[in-house]
Amino acid sequence: MRNLVWYGILILAAPSVCGQPTKKTTLSGYVKDAASGEALLGASLYLKENLKGTTANTYGFYSLTVEPGQYTLVCSFIGYENFSQSVDLTQDKTLNIELRRLSVQAGVVEVTDERNKQNTESTRMGTVELQMEDVKKLPVLFGEVDILKTLTLLPGVQSSGEGNSGLYVRGGGPDQNLILLDGATVYNASHLFGFFSVFNSDAIKSVNLVKAGMPAQYGGRLSSVLDITMKEGNMKRWEVEGGLGAIASRLTVQGPVIKNKLAVIASGRRTYFDVIARPFISKNSPLRGSGYYFYDFNAKINYRISDKDRLFLSGYFGRDVFTFKNRETAFSAVNFWGNATTTLRWNHQYSKKLFSNVTALFTDYKFQFDGDQNNFRFKLFSGVRDYGLKADFNYYPVSGHEIRFGAEYLNHRFEPSNVTFASQILDVKPPEPIRYHSNEASVYISDDWDATRRLRLNLGLRATFYAFNGRFVRYVKDALGATVDTLYYGRGALIKPYFRPEPRLAARFLIHENASVKASYTMNWQYIQLASRATISLPFDVWLPTTEYVVPQFSQQVAVGYYQNFWEDMLEASVEAYYKPMRNLIEFQDGADPAQTLNSNIDNTLVQGKGKAWGVEFFLRKSRGKWNGWIGYTLAWTNRTFPQLNEGRTFWAKYDRRHDLSVVASYDITPRWNVSAVFVFATGNTLTLPVNLYFLEERLVTEFAERNSYRFAPYHRLDLAATYVLSKPQKKFHSSLTLSIYNVYSRLNPFFIYYNASGNLTEGTFRLQARQVSLFPIIPTITWNFKY
């Protein structure tokens, strides 16, 4: 503990040990989009005379403190014209900047970005920002732009299978990714059992993925942070945009209620599987009335109280709904699941050097299955609900220092695998639902510090306190799974506390103007986990907290990398290697019965073990000019060791992939024509297969190979797309048509394997054949998009 205190003091004292001059002046302000008033987070700013620079924060705020003098300020952001202005800094000055999008004339794209060196100059490692304009150009499945699928095209990030949008980052599981939408946690980020993400691209402003060197303001997960920010609403004029696709339509409306003062945005999306299928279902069919659809709704209010205060209220609500009716058996069911989030944020600028953001948040994820047959009704449900408060501060004491500090509190309530029922015939009382309650608090501080001209350090420390609380009922089990005791804990009772430190360190050494080497160390503790029996994230997987039985997951990650820009920063290249040991990972026991977890303690059926992940990632990216895209390749290993599984022998994780290659390209032929292509190749996922069948005491026994000792065939696919802009650039109404072809050469990639039995075992003619199921052949789709 003493060492941790000194570590925090070092961070706080860093500005004072650098020999500050007695006189400084500060230039501060906001960077915004000239057309909409949206903040441009991550915009780069620097002074030409001394090359001192900074970047705009999430809300567009920047601050530069330097010696008094005359300077030239340059501000740049990808996709926007460069801004340059002389500034007199003999005293403190406020300068708000509005950047204009790049102009396109006669098929020539004007590129004026002079200095985009975040790849080589920042301390960030394993961090990728996606521009929504680029994402929307890529080929998509069924015409639905999908942020998560685009992320799986990056090195170190992989999907769980054909068409799925689940994320596996550097050997971690899907529950080890912190997915945030305007600061609120999204617990299930997919629709249709993982085939589409819950994020409507028309409502999203920015996407930032962190795989290594996780900043101190983030915590609670082992593998990555996916920070997604919604659009703020156009402060200048009203806009309407949307699209009509093969399976879904979407509509977004945004604009100023009071110009430059109050703006709103509302965005909705809905599929029409049910509407399309309805005419094809006979009126006499016993299944008439069955159907499936999903929908999303995003909304945000942006209120500028004053030059120093701003208020944001944002929300998301989404549901998948599956209905089933069988008139022959009188059975009906309604199954729904989805997320709801609400975020209230207050920005305040205390001074030209100190900026704060205070957030109140709410998250609710729910899965529910309601069944009814012959006056017998039952409900299966699970979910998680969070209430939280968070305060974040940005402090810019002098040039070359950005100090961030803050605190966060979360209250969790979990309901894993509960069931209730009612009958007009049977007088049976259902068991009481099981709920888990916990509280999580954290504080953090970090300093991004230019120690010398070549050396930049990011020193961070995060400390977390977690408490598993009552009200709670613990069913104590024996080795055979029988209940031998029952423990009752009252409301608020402290059952098990945990306190854990999480030091963070990142360093960058500039070799020359266009090349650098970086290294980072990250320690993470994770207090909530996803219990899953499947290889993909499904809605009936359940979240549960750390308890007195299940201890928090733990990981450390060390990463090193080389980064270089070419052709006046037109081309960015990087090579990163990482090593990540993990402890206290969870799996279900072999032979665990799902029925054991209903209205009982699910952690009685879990085991914990350790794992390792290591690999190297290669990334080459071009983000300016007519040609855009990237090439990513990952060579990686990840394994698991559980004393109770696989006879204690180490086995490859189910998402272990040796090779993963992605090639993404987009080309603007003319201002109205764009073509794009995506090619992916990956080693097949692991699986466990039966290797022998025999009778033992007149009982058929199946003998399996070692856990995950076999692999599916390699996965590969080529997608193409072409977009034609129907309207001329001068028109207020813009529309376009996109033809997308998924799986051009109709590769039958494996989705799962089942076994077909034939013959007679006693006669020696029995045969068990493995058969592959593939989902998607070649799929062409046309989507019409519009904006007014």
Side-chain angles (χ1 to χ4, degrees):
M1 177 64 70
R2 182 180 301 172
N3 291 335
L4 293 176
V5 172
W6 280 110
Y7 189 61
I9 292 174
L10 174 64
I11 295 172
L12 287 171
S16 63
V17 300
C18 300
Q20 300 179 40
T22 57
K23 176 65 175 176
K24 295 282 187 178
T25 57
T26 300
L27 174 67
S28 62
Y30 292 84
V31 184
K32 302 176 183 178
D33 183 300
S36 67
E38 289 262 3
L40 296 180
L41 62 102
S44 176
L45 303 100
Y46 74 100
L47 301 173
K48 277 190 173 181
E49 286 73 15
N50 60 8
L51 297 181
K52 298 291 186 181
T54 188
T55 56
N57 71 6
T58 304
Y59 305 96
F61 177 77
Y62 74 93
S63 178
L64 267 171
T65 299
V66 293
E67 293 80 4
Q70 300 289 328
Y71 295 94
T72 303
L73 176 68
V74 177
C75 179
S76 61
F77 191 72
I78 293 176
Y80 287 78
E81 295 179 5
N82 219 53
F83 172 90
S84 180
Q85 179 174 314
S86 296
V87 290
D88 180 6
L89 292 184
T90 54
Q91 59 183 359
D92 291 349
K93 184 179 182 64
T94 298
L95 179 62
N96 295 324
I97 301 169
E98 291 191 341
L99 297 184
R100 300 183 182 277
R101 289 188 175 274
L102 291 172
S103 60
V104 181
Q105 299 292 336
V108 178
V109 180
E110 178 189 355
V111 179
T112 59
D113 189 355
E114 295 181 0
R115 187 175 182 269
N116 179 32
K117 296 184 179 297
Q118 287 296 310
N119 180 53
T120 56
E121 293 191 350
S122 73
T123 56
R124 298 184 305 175
M125 295 189 66
T127 301
V128 180
E129 296 178 2
L130 293 181
Q131 302 298 320
M132 294 310 301
E133 291 80 2
D134 296 334
V135 173
K136 291 181 178 181
K137 294 177 181 179
L138 300 182
V140 291
L141 178 64
F142 295 120
E144 284 300 298
V145 175
D146 196 315
I147 294 170
L148 298 189
K149 284 192 177 67
T150 303
L151 290 172
T152 63
L153 301 175
L154 299 171
V157 185
Q158 61 191 53
S159 68
S160 55
E162 176 74 274
N164 276 279
S165 56
L167 297 181
Y168 296 84
V169 179
R170 290 191 171 179
D175 64 325
Q176 294 175 359
N177 306 307
L178 178 62
I179 301 178
L180 301 174
L181 179 62
D182 272 1
T185 303
V186 176
Y187 281 97
N188 189 319
S190 60
H191 286 302
L192 190 58
F193 303 102
F195 290 103
F196 302 99
S197 80
V198 300
F199 304 111
N200 182 352
S201 60
D202 289 345
I204 301 304
K205 179 172 74 171
S206 66
V207 180
N208 187 40
L209 175 70
V210 181
K211 302 177 292 181
M214 189 182 295
Q217 66 264 30
Y218 297 118
R221 300 294 189 275
L222 302 189
S223 291
S224 73
V225 176
L226 177 58
D227 198 347
I228 299 174
T229 305
M230 287 173 51
K231 291 179 178 177
E232 299 171 354
N234 196 316
M235 281 279 190
K236 307 285 188 178
R237 62 187 179 88
W238 283 95
E239 287 185 351
V240 179
E241 65 178 311
L244 181 66
I247 64 167
S249 292
R250 61 192 190 280
L251 181 68
T252 301
V253 180
Q254 61 175 319
V257 178
I258 304 174
K259 194 171 182 179
N260 294 321
K261 186 77 172 179
L262 176 64
V264 296
I265 180 172
S267 182
R269 176 178 61 162
R270 191 193 190 279
T271 59
Y272 26 74
F273 296 111
D274 53 332
V275 178
I276 294 175
R278 193 173 299 151
F280 299 97
I281 300 176
S282 169
K283 293 182 179 180
N284 298 322
S285 171
L287 300 181
R288 185 169 181 83
S290 301
Y292 168 81
Y293 62 92
F294 70 76
Y295 62 90
D296 298 300
F297 180 74
N298 298 75
K300 194 169 190 175
I301 299 172
N302 172 9
Y303 179 48
R304 183 174 169 268
I305 302 171
S306 67
D307 290 341
K308 294 186 176 181
D309 294 275
R310 179 166 289 187
L311 204 63
F312 299 91
L313 176 63
S314 60
Y316 166 83
F317 186 84
R319 284 290 184 266
D320 289 65
V321 181
F322 174 71
T323 57
F324 178 82
K325 292 183 179 179
N326 190 318
R327 290 183 291 182
E328 291 182 350
T329 61
F331 176 74
S332 63
V334 177
N335 186 196
F336 67 87
W337 62 93
N339 305 275
T341 69
T342 304
T343 304
L344 176 64
R345 291 185 290 178
W346 169 48
N347 291 170
H348 179 66
Q349 183 184 338
Y350 289 92
S351 69
K352 294 182 182 299
K353 296 183 179 183
L354 183 61
F355 181 91
S356 74
N357 179 65
V358 178
T359 305
L361 58 90
F362 167 80
T363 295
D364 182 71
Y365 169 69
K366 182 181 295 184
F367 169 85
Q368 185 168 316
F369 181 90
D370 296 321
D372 191 337
Q373 185 174 31
N374 298 326
N375 296 319
F376 180 79
R377 297 185 300 277
F378 67 94
K379 178 170 70 173
L380 175 67
F381 60 98
S382 64
V384 55
R385 177 174 293 181
D386 291 348
Y387 296 92
L389 288 171
K390 187 177 183 182
D392 299 285
F393 295 85
N394 294 72
Y395 178 50
Y396 308 85
V398 292
S399 179
H401 282 277
E402 180 183 350
I403 295 176
R404 304 190 67 165
F405 60 95
E408 182 177 12
Y409 166 76
L410 288 171
N411 173 267
H412 304 288
R413 190 191 75 177
F414 300 85
E415 292 184 316
S417 299
N418 285 304
V419 64
T420 63
F421 53 85
S423 174
Q424 298 179 4
I425 301 174
L426 300 175
D427 184 16
V428 180
K429 183 180 179 180
E432 288 294 324
I434 296 293
R435 293 187 175 93
Y436 294 75
H437 301 270
S438 64
N439 293 277
E440 188 175 346
S442 60
V443 293
Y444 73 89
I445 184 170
S446 68
D447 183 16
D448 202 32
W449 171 29
D450 283 326
T452 69
R453 187 178 68 86
R454 294 183 180 272
L455 179 63
R456 174 178 287 183
L457 300 173
N458 190 298
L459 306 171
L461 176 65
R462 183 181 182 89
T464 58
F465 175 77
Y466 172 89
F468 176 46
N469 303 103
R471 176 177 300 150
F472 181 67
V473 179
R474 166 62 67 191
Y475 297 100
V476 182
K477 306 284 185 176
D478 63 14
L480 299 178
T483 301
V484 296
D485 196 5
T486 304
L487 304 177
Y488 296 91
Y489 297 92
R491 182 184 179 90
L494 180 60
I495 303 173
K496 182 66 176 178
Y498 296 90
F499 172 78
R500 298 290 187 269
E502 299 180 10
R504 313 285 173 84
L505 173 65
R508 177 231 66 197
F509 183 79
L510 201 62
I511 300 173
H512 56 74
E513 183 183 8
N514 296 313
S516 65
V517 291
K518 302 180 187 181
S520 66
Y521 169 80
T522 307
M523 178 187 291
N524 291 87
W525 293 89
Q526 179 169 329
Y527 297 100
I528 64 175
Q529 40 268 319
L530 186 69
S532 173
R533 291 179 174 84
T535 58
I536 59 175
S537 180
L538 296 174
F540 40 81
D541 296 338
V542 295
W543 289 90
L544 71 154
T546 290
T547 66
E548 78 278 32
Y549 282 21
V550 177
V551 298
Q553 299 183 53
F554 171 76
S555 77
Q556 300 177 83
Q557 183 177 175
V558 177
V560 294
Y562 175 78
Y563 306 78
Q564 184 164 349
N565 289 0
F566 301 91
W567 302 341
E568 297 181 344
D569 303 322
M570 185 78 73
L571 199 64
E572 300 177 359
S574 65
V575 180
E576 288 188 19
Y578 65 91
Y579 176 74
K580 182 168 66 175
M582 296 168 280
R583 298 201 311 260
N584 309 328
L585 307 179
I586 69 164
E587 291 280 357
F588 277 103
Q589 300 170 357
D590 281 338
D593 184 357
Q596 289 179 288
T597 66
L598 296 176
N599 296 77
S600 184
N601 303 136
I602 190 172
D603 49 356
N604 284 326
T605 63
L606 299 175
V607 294
Q608 293 193 274
K610 61 183 180 179
K612 288 191 297 185
W614 66 99
V616 59
E617 300 169 359
F618 301 85
F619 192 46
L620 185 66
R621 182 179 188 177
K622 185 177 182 293
S623 54
R624 289 159 46 196
K626 287 189 174 184
W627 275 105
N628 289 283
W630 66 82
I631 300 174
Y633 170 71
T634 305
L635 175 65
W637 296 260
T638 180
N639 62 30
R640 300 291 185 265
T641 306
F642 286 74
Q644 299 92 336
L645 303 179
N646 201 45
E647 298 181 352
R649 294 190 296 268
T650 299
F651 56 91
W652 296 118
K654 57 189 175 185
Y655 26 82
D656 171 73
R657 281 189 192 160
R658 198 67 62 246
H659 306 283
D660 202 329
L661 171 70
S662 299
V663 181
V664 178
S666 174
Y667 180 62
D668 294 319
I669 302 174
T670 70
R672 301 178 71 172
W673 272 104
N674 171 271
V675 293
S676 60
V678 171
F679 174 76
V680 294
F681 174 90
T683 302
N685 286 344
T686 63
L687 74 159
T688 306
L689 293 177
V691 293
N692 202 5
L693 289 173
Y694 56 88
F695 276 107
L696 180 64
E697 298 179 354
E698 299 182 354
R699 183 171 58 91
L700 182 62
V701 176
T702 304
E703 182 181 339
F704 286 88
E706 284 197 30
R707 195 180 184 100
N708 296 341
S709 57
Y710 288 85
R711 290 187 181 272
F712 286 108
Y715 180 97
H716 53 89
R717 189 189 78 241
L718 173 67
D719 306 331
L720 299 175
T723 298
Y724 177 67
V725 179
L726 299 172
S727 53
K728 295 182 179 180
Q730 296 81 8
K731 299 291 184 180
K732 288 185 176 181
F733 182 81
H734 300 272
S735 67
S736 63
L737 281 176
T738 298
L739 170 64
S740 183
I741 305 176
Y742 182 87
N743 198 2
V744 170
Y745 52 85
S746 202
R747 160 75 174 178
L748 296 179
N749 288 300
F751 183 61
F752 67 86
I753 287 178
Y754 73 96
Y755 302 95
N756 182 62
S758 62
N760 188 293
L761 189 62
T762 57
E763 296 176 358
T765 60
F766 182 84
R767 294 291 182 271
L768 187 66
Q769 292 181 318
R771 296 188 177 180
Q772 174 182 301
V773 174
S774 301
L775 282 184
F776 301 124
I778 181 172
I779 300 178
T781 54
I782 295 179
T783 305
W784 177 60
N785 298 297
F786 63 89
K787 184 175 183 179
Y788 177 75

